[in-house]
């Protein structure tokens, strides 16, 4: 074989392996940031623009859009199943215990989808829109940036059972939460880093009431909750009623994506039980909380890497799934 022919085969081999350098392979397909470079080069700018407008109208929306991506990925993978409405054989995940009366931002995803369809019809999945919106929401709130691997396709079904059982709940024990993360291929570092999303957003009174009044079923508040903070929370979260009253997950800097969440935990002012147990129930987790509280750069780095890892949970690729025309319903053509 002459040198020119040898060079030709070397180039072919390098090109074939190139995607492995920047992508994640699942179910026979690849996710990679350049997926829409030719088919819809303007998609990232469209998503960023609509998200920025939505957050300008409602500062809570950054946390809401970030949460949608979490709640989608933990059920059947990152496939936009969360966005489907009940219809025919589909029972919407929006009615699950973890999403009912709390999941929001669906109209913003609709707005993005309309704009993207106008620019690039039948090209960009709702699952990829969720992933991009989560990243852009984080950046707008002051958090880290990262390249989002793309190429997901949309599910043609939902799982309310998965939504009820697989998403970590505020009152779960540390071990239960860690088990739910490990089922998705995520580890303890991912758990502590991704919990940092609670540096923005709100929680309802019903999500933490037991910590104020009956944590161990003995009629007493949680001893790992700062007493003055508990007293303050009680004034707006009574023993009965007020279930939907909202409270900042990070009372100190509620709209800024920073590491104050971890500083609050160290001061025993984590709002949810699932926040505070990161300090009190596991040695390795406690060390990470302390490290993130001291070093925001480290937290940002770990959070970005864990978001990419979470965004790669069982995506549908290649011929699997579909590109929905409307995010709330499967295609009927």
């Amino acid at each position: 074989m002459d040198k020119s022919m040898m060079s030709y085969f070397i180039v072919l081999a390098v090109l074939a392996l190139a995607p492995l350098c920047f992508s994640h392979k699942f179910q026979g397909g690849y996710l990679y940031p350049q997926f829409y470079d030719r088919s819809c080069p303007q998609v990232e700018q469209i998503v960023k623009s609509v998200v920025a407008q939505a957050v300008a109208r409602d500062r809570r929306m950054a946390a809401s859009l970030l949460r949608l991506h979490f709640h989608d990925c933990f059920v059947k993978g990152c496939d936009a199943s969360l966005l489907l409405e009940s219809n025919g054989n589909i029972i919407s995940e929006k009615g699950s215990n973890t999403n009912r009366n709390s999941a929001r931002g669906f109209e913003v995803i609709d707005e993005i989808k309309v704009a993207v369809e106008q620019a690039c019809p039948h090209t960009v999945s709702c699952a990829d829109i969720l992933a991009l919106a989560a990243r852009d929401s984080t950046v707008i709130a002051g958090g880290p940036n990262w390249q989002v691997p793309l190429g997901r396709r949309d599910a043609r079904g939902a799982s309310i059972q998965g939504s009820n059982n697989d998403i970590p709940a505020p009152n779960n024990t540390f071990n239960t939460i860690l088990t739910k993360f490990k089922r998705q291929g995520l580890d303890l570092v991912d758990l502590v880093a991704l919990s940092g999303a609670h540096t923005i957003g709100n929680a309802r009174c019903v999500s933490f009431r037991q910590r104020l009044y009956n944590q161990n079923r003995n009629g007493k508040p949680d001893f790992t909750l700062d007493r003055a903070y508990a007293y303050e929370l009680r004034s707006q979260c009574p023993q009965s009623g007020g279930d939907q009253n909202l409270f900042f997950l990070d009372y100190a800097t509620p709209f800024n994506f920073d590491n104050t969440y971890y500083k609050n935990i160290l001061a025993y002012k984590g709002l949810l039980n699932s926040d505070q147990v990161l300090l009190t129930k596991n040695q390795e987790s406690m060390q990470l909380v302390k490290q993130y509280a001291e070093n925001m750069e480290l937290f940002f780095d770990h959070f970005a890497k864990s978001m990419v890892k979470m965004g790669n949970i069982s995506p549908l690729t290649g011929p699997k799934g579909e590109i929905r025309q409307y995010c709330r319903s499967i295609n009927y053509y």
Side-chain angles (χ1 to χ4, degrees):
M1 185 183 293
D2 62 30
K3 288 185 178 179
S4 61
M5 185 63 72
M6 179 68 78
S7 299
Y8 173 74
F9 281 114
I10 289 172
V11 169
L12 284 181
V14 169
L15 288 173
L17 291 171
L20 296 175
C21 299
F22 53 80
S23 67
H24 302 257
K25 185 178 182 183
F26 289 91
Q27 298 187 8
Y30 288 98
L31 300 185
Y32 53 99
Q34 299 83 1
F35 188 84
Y36 296 111
D37 278 7
R38 290 185 178 180
S39 60
C40 192
Q42 61 272 60
V43 61
E44 294 210 27
Q45 187 53 50
I46 292 171
V47 175
K48 188 180 299 183
S49 175
V50 177
V51 169
Q53 293 170 34
V55 175
R57 292 192 302 265
D58 174 6
R59 295 182 75 185
R60 282 181 62 202
M61 193 53 68
S64 298
L65 293 173
L66 179 54
R67 185 170 183 256
L68 286 183
H69 186 41
F70 277 82
H71 283 215
D72 178 45
C73 288
F74 266 77
V75 182
K76 304 195 315 95
C78 307
D79 59 5
S81 62
L82 171 59
L83 304 180
L84 291 170
E85 301 285 357
S86 294
N87 188 14
N89 294 325
I90 295 172
I91 301 174
S92 177
E93 294 168 19
K94 296 176 184 180
S96 71
N97 296 332
T98 49
N99 293 323
R100 190 173 57 251
N101 298 323
S102 65
R104 61 195 296 273
F106 299 107
E107 72 285 353
V108 178
I109 301 300
D110 291 340
E111 191 179 344
I112 295 170
K113 182 62 172 172
V114 168
V116 170
E117 282 294 314
Q118 287 176 346
C120 321
H122 316 301
T123 303
V124 180
S125 68
C126 300
D128 278 344
I129 287 173
L130 281 173
L132 288 168
R135 188 272 310 274
D136 293 340
S137 295
T138 301
V139 173
I140 287 169
N145 198 353
W146 63 90
Q147 279 197 310
V148 179
L150 300 165
R152 301 167 189 81
R153 289 167 66 84
D154 299 323
R156 291 183 56 82
S159 174
I160 190 167
Q161 182 179 0
S163 190
N164 278 322
N165 298 332
D166 297 338
I167 299 173
N171 300 327
N172 284 161
T173 65
F174 178 86
N175 287 335
T176 297
I177 296 169
L178 183 57
T179 297
K180 289 182 177 182
F181 267 73
K182 286 183 174 178
R183 278 188 205 143
Q184 307 294 352
L186 303 174
D187 58 25
L188 186 141
V189 175
D190 300 315
L191 163 57
V192 182
L194 292 175
S195 294
H198 285 178
T199 185
I200 55 175
N202 300 73
R204 297 171 297 153
C205 167
V206 70
S207 300
F208 61 88
R209 175 184 283 124
Q210 89 291 341
R211 295 193 72 203
L212 304 180
Y213 301 100
N214 192 27
Q215 175 69 2
N216 296 305
R217 299 181 182 176
N218 59 1
K220 295 181 181 180
D222 187 349
F223 68 92
T224 67
L225 185 63
D226 177 84
R227 287 188 179 183
Y229 185 45
Y231 182 78
E232 185 182 333
L233 292 171
R234 280 185 169 198
S235 67
Q236 295 297 317
C237 184
Q239 200 154 2
S240 63
D243 284 5
Q244 305 304 316
N245 293 351
L246 291 175
F247 297 78
F248 293 127
L249 286 160
D250 169 5
Y251 72 92
T253 58
F255 297 107
N256 298 337
F257 199 103
D258 55 27
N259 64 339
T260 306
Y261 165 79
Y262 298 102
K263 296 176 182 178
N264 294 341
I265 290 174
L266 290 176
Y268 295 94
K269 294 181 180 180
L271 182 63
L272 305 178
N273 185 69
S274 56
D275 297 323
Q276 199 60 52
V277 295
L278 298 180
L279 180 73
T280 59
K281 296 298 182 181
N282 181 279
Q283 192 72 23
E284 187 182 350
S285 174
M286 178 182 72
Q287 291 303 322
L288 283 167
V289 168
K290 290 179 178 178
Q291 288 173 30
Y292 294 160
E294 293 170 5
N295 187 340
M296 189 160 74
E297 210 171 288
L298 178 68
F299 163 48
F300 278 16
D301 178 59
H302 285 192
F303 183 84
K305 288 174 180 173
S306 292
M307 283 296 291
V308 171
K309 196 171 169 184
M310 185 193 76
N312 281 285
I313 297 173
S314 304
L316 300 173
T317 58
K320 298 179 179 177
E322 64 180 11
I323 304 297
R324 284 186 219 141
Q325 187 173 0
Y326 304 103
C327 289
R328 294 175 187 253
S329 65
I330 62 172
N331 296 335
Y332 290 99
Y333 50 80

